[in-house]
Amino acid sequence: MSAEHPGTDVVVIGAGIVGALIGRELAGRGLGVVLLDPQPGRGASIGNAGLLVPSFTRPMADPATLWEGLRAMTGSDPLMSIGSLSPAVLTWLARFAAAARPGRAGRIAARLVGPARTAADAYANLAAETGIDLGVTGSGWLQVARGPAVLRRKLALARELTKNGIDHEVLTRAELRVRAPELDPGLAGAVFFPGDSSLDPAAATRAALVAAELRGAIVHSARVTGLVRRHGEVTAVRTDLGEFTATTYILATGAGRPGGRGIQPGWGWSIDVPAKHPLISSPLIGLDDHVVFNPLAGRIRITGGMRIGGTPQDRHDHAAATAIRQAAERLVPALHDLPQGTLSRAARPMTPDGLPQAARTGRNLVTATGHGTLGMTLAPATAAAVAQLLGHEGRHPEVLR
């Protein structure tokens, strides 16, 4: 069946936000590009929180978060848990613990801030190119804390980020009540990051695919079943539509298979709650429970949870959804009067050290995955990094790893 699909320059496996933007970037540089995905634009990307957050580039692998990992081992917290104790997950956890040494998280954050800060302009350009409204807003990101100790830790991290050009504003309990009267008055305070932005992740993913096709890329709804290798090179991609061949192959499958080495799924949940009027004035996160809010057109998206490992069949939706909704209602009491909303679940591709993979992993194979919770934020820089790896640099390429 491979004769049905003539060879091309690049086959991109995965058509979420990362794969779609890579396809757009490479097609725009004159390469023949084919994107393969069982449901193009319908994967984990559209369940993303939809935030563009240079302020949130510090990885999970940090001494301050190790205790949360240990707590997850007990299974007592539905929002932070381990889905499997398989050898692969145990190896990942050991590497995570090794990466959480003092000073390392700050250095990784410093490396990722620059690429993250390009995201808002990149999505504005994507909207202009396609005419699709991505819902991009530059209203900043409010990070609120119930516990004084949690607030102190965030303030320390915010001060460290100022070295990388990330501005912030500290809000006392009284100032927060004036700024955001819709929130629980018992909160200890907040840190506001004015340089952060938000968008509609489904619209952004759709626009990236449209832009890729406008530039000449071909998108196939195809399920990849494996790679054909010979003498250390990939010679074809097997799919349910036959074999596709190319000069170069790019894996942008997120937490799916095939994927990057050392990747574990970090399962998370999102709830879209219908809301005729915005309940909050800007996106926010509750730092105590790590529940995120993004006000979108006609709804509010609430996301949370991190379950490392496990399979798509290993579901804990009811407990996670209940915990997310309860945490959300504690922060925004007006949610009590709104419907339960629509629940979805998706897997973030997690590396142990928090650094994405955008690198050659074979003679003609490139892996672009491992963005964790920063898929939307780092996808544009990843596309530029892949173009650089293939020798098609833009003016300001960014290499993430």
Side-chain angles (χ1 to χ4, degrees):
M1 293 180 65
S2 60
E4 298 177 14
H5 309 293
T8 189
D9 294 316
V10 180
V11 165
V12 181
I13 304 169
I17 190 61
V18 173
L21 286 180
I22 289 172
R24 168 182 176 259
E25 185 79 18
L26 298 180
R29 300 182 187 282
L31 297 178
V33 177
V34 170
L35 290 111
L36 305 175
D37 194 290
Q39 293 183 300
R42 298 294 304 170
S45 293
I46 63 172
N48 190 284
L51 301 187
L52 310 177
V53 284
S55 72
F56 212 65
T57 51
R58 191 178 185 90
M60 284 177 54
D62 181 86
T65 59
L66 271 181
W67 74 272
E68 292 188 7
L70 294 173
R71 185 181 65 181
M73 297 287 287
T74 71
S76 60
D77 184 353
L79 294 184
M80 178 68 71
S81 60
I82 304 298
S84 165
L85 291 179
S86 67
V89 172
L90 290 173
T91 298
W92 188 97
L93 291 171
R95 292 177 60 192
F96 174 85
R101 55 186 183 270
R104 194 176 191 281
R107 292 193 294 272
I108 290 178
R111 289 177 59 178
L112 296 180
V113 161
R117 294 178 78 166
T118 68
D121 286 344
Y123 286 111
N125 292 337
L126 179 62
E129 179 178 348
T130 61
I132 296 174
D133 181 5
L134 309 189
V136 177
T137 64
S139 55
W141 193 21
L142 188 63
Q143 303 190 14
V144 303
R146 186 174 303 280
V150 173
L151 182 59
R152 286 194 296 270
R153 285 197 296 271
K154 174 51 63 174
L155 290 175
L157 296 178
R159 286 191 290 268
E160 188 173 332
L161 281 171
T162 60
K163 303 172 187 176
N164 307 123
I166 302 298
D167 295 329
H168 70 276
E169 179 185 352
V170 180
L171 300 177
T172 65
R173 182 194 302 266
E175 291 168 337
L176 179 59
R177 291 195 66 177
V178 173
R179 173 76 68 87
E182 68 274 14
L183 302 184
D184 176 14
L187 294 169
V191 182
F192 180 67
F193 292 92
D196 290 349
S197 308
S198 63
L199 48 61
D200 182 332
T205 306
R206 182 173 69 254
L209 282 174
V210 168
E213 291 182 299
L214 288 173
R215 295 183 177 195
I218 300 172
V219 181
H220 289 282
S221 298
R223 184 174 300 279
V224 172
T225 58
L227 302 178
V228 181
R229 301 175 188 264
R230 184 177 182 182
H231 304 307
E233 288 191 352
V234 178
T235 58
V237 179
R238 290 196 185 101
T239 79
D240 56 359
L241 297 182
E243 291 188 354
F244 291 81
T245 60
T247 303
T248 301
Y249 300 83
I250 298 172
L251 294 175
T253 52
R257 295 287 185 265
R261 294 180 180 179
I263 301 291
Q264 282 296 321
W267 296 97
W269 291 262
S270 65
I271 305 172
D272 280 354
V273 179
K276 294 181 179 179
H277 306 289
L279 295 184
I280 54 178
S281 56
S282 66
L284 69 90
I285 180 173
L287 295 169
D288 303 80
D289 297 302
H290 307 290
V291 172
V292 177
F293 299 72
N294 183 10
L296 299 170
R299 68 194 192 282
I300 183 169
R301 170 159 292 182
I302 307 169
T303 56
M306 179 63 73
R307 185 171 178 83
I308 299 294
T311 68
Q313 293 72 38
D314 179 25
R315 304 186 71 91
H316 295 262
D317 291 351
H318 178 72
T322 299
I324 291 170
R325 182 73 187 217
Q326 289 175 347
E329 290 180 357
R330 285 194 296 270
L331 288 173
V332 185
L335 276 171
H336 284 290
D337 302 322
L338 294 183
Q340 288 299 306
T342 304
L343 178 72
S344 61
R345 176 178 180 263
R348 314 171 185 94
M350 307 296 294
T351 60
D353 61 4
L355 268 175
Q357 296 178 1
R360 287 191 178 274
T361 51
R363 292 180 186 175
N364 64 339
L365 181 66
V366 171
T367 298
T369 186
H371 297 83
T373 60
L374 297 172
M376 285 288 158
T377 300
L378 294 178
T382 298
V386 170
Q388 180 185 20
L389 287 169
L390 300 188
H392 293 266
E393 294 91 343
R395 290 185 179 180
H396 303 289
E398 295 279 5
V399 176
L400 302 182
R401 179 180 284 267

